[in-house]
Amino acid sequence: RRRMFYEACADVVAAATAAVFVAPIVSATDKAIAEQAGGRASLWPSFFESMWRTVRNPVSTMLRPEFRIIWMLYAGTYAANNLSCSVETKTATSAPKAKTAAIFACNTSLSLWKDSAFARLFGSRVTSRVPTAAYASWAVRDVTGMAFIFTAPPLVAPYLSQVANSSSRSAEVAAQILLPMAIQPFVSPFHLVGYDIFNRPNATILERFHAIQTQLAGVVVMRWIRGFPPYCLGAVANKAIRTELHDYNLAVDQHNWTLPGSFKLA
């Protein structure tokens, strides 16, 4: 039981640490999109201002609400992944569908919470209530995007391997990187619609269409930038830290070393 407890702690610590590497860029991109949608700032000046603040004073950045919100989003997502992997290892079973469902449920629920928080923080309205239609728009974005990201790469990878004359593994990696970028022009409008519903609840369909049309190109590029930290840098860091901590726990178990708090693994 203590071994399971320490492994679970390792999973959570790895997730929390990896999320620190992700939060600066992702919080800057999401804040810029929310501020532009609310008419409070232009997209790129907001982004570069946040990044310059991070370089100039990283501690101050880590104390800001947007950083903490994004940190919790990806710490929770990585923790769901890590704990699911540990359960699979402990039970010696493989349940990819259940694992994917757990990660998707955690990421989607935290993303909806994040979007509602960013709308209230950086939108044009002072209110604590986010319309149900805004949540629905963000949910469509997540369901569409995640379904495409999870289902399309295995289908596209063989075609890429054949066309590029590359190995199956290389084609899978390329598909995993390229397809999330390819889906952004299709899901970004739902992202903007959610913010527009919050900021302008009484706008007409034509007014919403015009607002989205003027912002879409920049937001797609911004979401391309946003996609790399969590699924490349963060995922790699999470896996590496988790592996190191699990290896340490295994060494402690094998050598019966004393762990902090004078506990010994049974």
Side-chain angles (χ1 to χ4, degrees), residues 98-118:
K99 179 181 175 181
T100 299
I103 298 170
F104 174 78
C106 180
N107 180 261
T108 299
S109 58
L110 288 173
S111 291
L112 293 176
W113 166 74
K114 180 270 297 181
D115 288 321
S116 65
F118 271 59

Side-chain angles (χ1 to χ4, degrees), residues 85-163:
C85 290
S86 292
V87 169
E88 284 186 329
T89 301
K90 191 67 178 178
T91 58
T93 59
S94 177
K97 292 183 179 180
K99 179 181 175 181
T100 299
I103 298 170
F104 174 78
C106 180
N107 180 261
T108 299
S109 58
L110 288 173
S111 291
L112 293 176
W113 166 74
K114 180 270 297 181
D115 288 321
S116 65
F118 271 59
R120 290 192 295 266
L121 283 169
F122 307 116
S124 59
R125 297 176 63 210
V126 180
T127 177
S128 60
R129 182 182 179 277
V130 177
T132 303
Y135 283 114
S137 184
W138 293 326
V140 171
R141 173 206 63 197
D142 288 342
V143 171
T144 304
M146 295 299 285
F148 185 80
I149 290 169
F150 278 116
T151 60
L155 302 176
V156 174
Y159 175 76
L160 285 178
S161 179
Q162 183 179 4
V163 170

Side-chain angles (χ1 to χ4, degrees), residues 157 160-161 165-172:
L160 285 178
S161 179
N165 195 25
S166 61
S167 66
S168 298
R169 178 57 182 164
S170 298
E172 289 173 3

Side-chain angles (χ1 to χ4, degrees), residues 237-261:
N238 175 57
K239 184 175 181 180
I241 296 169
R242 178 178 181 271
T243 299
E244 288 295 324
L245 292 175
H246 276 254
D247 288 346
Y248 175 76
N249 283 337
L250 181 60
V252 170
D253 187 33
Q254 290 175 342
H255 294 86
N256 201 28
W257 293 340
T258 301
L259 288 172

Side-chain angles (χ1 to χ4, degrees), residues 203-210:
T204 65
I205 295 177
L206 188 61
E207 288 171 337
R208 293 203 197 286
F209 178 79
H210 178 71

